[in-house]
């Protein structure tokens, strides 16, 4: 379905995050949702899904739709008015997406995030678990910032960076930013006919950032110009995710992409996540294992409660801990699914007993192998 150029970027992408700006979703002449365009994107997303990929959509447009619905005509709104507009617009945005996706047989779900949700580890893990469950259920999660409750200091403010965080959250291999410009140029192409399109950025260095901050800063409507797109690419890149910037104002916005800029990450998404676990996190405690559990980890298994002999420290679910062999050597690090107090109750027992011992279960594994790195 997709162009050859796009196909090669998406070749190994299991999870794709797509961000669409207000200018695409909301018809500028009428101020209402552009149903035909939304249906076109829903069809493209259905094709990606049919290829076995999970797709998360980050959609702006709540503010623009709510502004029209509430009859707020002034060009510049105060913060509380913007938040009111987003509150009124968000259900309209979702109902327009729901109408589009239902025509291609896909279910949708609304996920409203704030910066705290993507920066506090516990909330990050909760959000990730919910989105994973939505994927398992075959839904297309539709993300926006929870504009109604965030204040100026603590908000993302633009959906480009929010989308990059969402891409990182779900371990996307590719983030697609659809906007009104087909990528990065050496200069503003509307003012300088000599401006060169940049198809591939192998390394996001200072010269590229300077380009986005200068002539291209104003390129693109909505909150984010090219500068926020480059900022998004930086976040995504550090999580091993490629960023693709493409023109989205066509009726089948993905399948018609020919020209775009792709900004390559420095490593794979999995490698980036594992190096984050191994390197940047100070362990909050220790889990002492028996020999059998150490062998199981070396064979690529998750850590189950049965192999845990002792727990050191007071840590929370979502913290990074050190995993220690009977010899005292650290064998791995990982992110725990249960708190220290909970693990003290379930250690040495089989996973089947977790629910009766704790009164709840967060899964069979104390540390899932995807959240663990051998050291
Ligand atoms: N969250 C805002 C909205 O839906 C959009 C922010 C942006 O355009 O980047 O209205």
């Amino acid at each position: 379905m997709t162009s050859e150029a796009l196909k090669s970027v998406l070749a190994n992408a299991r999870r794709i995050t797509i961000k669409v700006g207000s200018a695409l979703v909301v018809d500028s002449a009428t101020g209402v949702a552009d149903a035909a365009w939304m249906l076109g994107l829903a069809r493209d997303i259905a094709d990606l899904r049919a290829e076995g990929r999970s797709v998360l959509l980050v959609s702006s447009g709540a503010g623009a739709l709510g502004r029209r619905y509430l009859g707020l005509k002034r060009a510049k709104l105060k913060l509380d008015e913007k938040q009111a507009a987003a509150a009124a617009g968000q259900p309209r945005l979702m109902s327009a997406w729901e109408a589009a996706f239902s025509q291609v047989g896909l279910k949708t779900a609304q996920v409203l995030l704030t910066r705290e949700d993507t920066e506090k580890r516990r909330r990050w893990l909760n959000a990730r678990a919910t989105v994973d469950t939505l994927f398992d259920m075959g839904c297309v999660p539709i993300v926006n910032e929870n504009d109604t409750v965030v204040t100026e200091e603590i908000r993302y403010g633009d959906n480009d960076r929010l989308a990059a965080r969402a891409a990182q959250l779900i371990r996307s291999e590719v983030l697609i930013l659809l906007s009104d410009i087909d990528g990065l140029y050496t200069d503003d192409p509307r003012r300088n006919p000599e401006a060169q399109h940049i198809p591939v950025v192998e390394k996001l260095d200072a010269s590229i950032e300077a380009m986005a901050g200068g002539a291209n800063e104003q390129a693109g409507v909505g909150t984010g110009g090219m500068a926020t797109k480059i900022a998004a690419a930086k976040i995504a890149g550090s999580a091993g995710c490629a960023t693709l910037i493409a023109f989205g104002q066509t009726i089948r916005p993905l399948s018609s992409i020919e020209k775009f800029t792709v900004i390559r990450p420095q490593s794979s998404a999995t490698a980036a996540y594992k190096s984050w676990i191994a390197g940047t996190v100070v362990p909050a405690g220790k889990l002492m294992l028996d020999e059998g559990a150490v062998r199981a980890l070396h064979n690529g298994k998750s850590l189950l409660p049965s192999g845990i002999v002792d727990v050191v420290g007071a840590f929370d679910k979502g913290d990074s801990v050190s995993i220690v062999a009977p010899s005292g050597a650290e064998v791995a690090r990982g992110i725990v699914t249960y708190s220290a107090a909970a693990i003290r109750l379930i250690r040495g027992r089989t996973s089947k007993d977790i629910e009766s011992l704790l009164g709840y279960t967060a899964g069979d594994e104390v540390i899932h192998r995807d959240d663990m790195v051998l050291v």
Side-chain angles (χ1 to χ4, degrees), residues 217-297:
E217 196 172 7
Q218 297 307 317
V221 292
T223 316
M226 200 50 80
T228 65
K229 292 188 172 43
I230 297 299
K234 217 168 157 180
I235 296 169
S238 71
C241 173
T243 299
L244 192 144
I245 301 170
F247 181 75
Q249 279 164 338
T250 51
I251 203 64
R252 291 291 296 265
L254 291 181
S255 39
S256 58
I257 292 180
E258 290 292 345
K259 196 173 168 193
F260 53 78
T261 295
V262 62
I263 301 165
R264 296 206 201 280
Q266 297 308 303
S267 62
S268 76
T270 311
Y273 182 57
K274 296 229 165 176
S275 74
W276 175 74
I277 294 174
T280 60
V281 189
V282 182
K286 286 183 192 169
L287 297 177
M288 320 302 279
L289 306 196
D290 62 23
E291 289 294 353
V294 173
R295 266 197 308 278
L297 299 195

Side-chain angles (χ1 to χ4, degrees), residues 19-23 26 58-66 82 85-86 89-90 93 143-147 155-162 221-224 228-229:
K19 181 262 173 176
V20 298
S22 302
V26 184
V58 178
S59 176
S60 305
L65 292 175
K82 280 193 220 158
Q90 183 61 27
L93 181 62
V143 171
N144 199 356
E145 184 158 19
N146 195 352
D147 293 310
R155 68 201 280 260
Y156 277 104
D158 68 85
N159 277 6
D160 292 327
R161 284 176 303 163
L162 171 66
V221 292
T223 316
T228 65
K229 292 188 172 43

Side-chain angles (χ1 to χ4, degrees), residues 162-226:
L162 171 66
R165 284 287 182 209
Q168 185 179 23
L169 181 76
I170 66 162
R171 281 159 287 170
S172 279
E173 290 87 356
V174 181
L175 163 67
I176 302 177
L177 302 175
L178 290 179
S179 80
D180 61 349
I181 186 155
D182 54 11
L184 188 62
Y185 284 78
T186 52
D187 197 356
D188 187 339
R190 290 163 306 183
R191 275 184 279 158
N192 179 359
E194 305 286 303
Q196 301 278 313
H197 180 260
I198 304 171
V200 182
V201 175
E202 292 291 351
K203 195 170 181 330
L204 196 53
D205 57 18
S207 70
I208 300 290
E209 285 187 54
M211 256 173 225
N216 282 314
E217 196 172 7
Q218 297 307 317
V221 292
T223 316
M226 200 50 80

Side-chain angles (χ1 to χ4, degrees), residues 63-190:
L65 292 175
R67 174 187 261 281
R68 154 90 184 193
Y69 177 72
L70 296 175
L72 302 170
K73 297 223 169 59
R74 258 176 313 111
K76 253 192 125 34
L77 299 182
K78 289 186 296 186
L79 178 64
D80 56 344
E81 292 171 327
K82 280 193 220 158
Q83 291 182 308
Q90 183 61 27
R92 278 154 193 88
L93 181 62
M94 281 309 295
S95 102
W97 280 121
E98 153 69 22
F101 280 103
S102 68
Q103 290 182 66
V104 297
L106 288 176
K107 294 195 172 103
T108 56
Q110 169 180 273
V111 180
L112 295 179
L113 295 176
T114 63
R115 213 169 71 189
E116 281 203 307
D117 297 322
T118 59
E119 287 176 1
K120 291 234 160 42
R121 210 159 36 224
R122 261 190 95 129
R123 285 164 74 163
W124 168 274
L125 284 175
N126 285 339
R128 190 180 80 176
T130 305
V131 173
D132 279 345
T133 306
L134 289 169
F135 282 144
D136 290 345
M137 293 172 168
C139 282
V140 178
I142 302 181
V143 171
N144 199 356
E145 184 158 19
N146 195 352
D147 293 310
T148 309
V149 299
V150 288
T151 57
E152 212 63 73
E153 313 80 66
I154 59 156
R155 68 201 280 260
Y156 277 104
D158 68 85
N159 277 6
D160 292 327
R161 284 176 303 163
L162 171 66
R165 284 287 182 209
Q168 185 179 23
L169 181 76
I170 66 162
R171 281 159 287 170
S172 279
E173 290 87 356
V174 181
L175 163 67
I176 302 177
L177 302 175
L178 290 179
S179 80
D180 61 349
I181 186 155
D182 54 11
L184 188 62
Y185 284 78
T186 52
D187 197 356
D188 187 339
R190 290 163 306 183

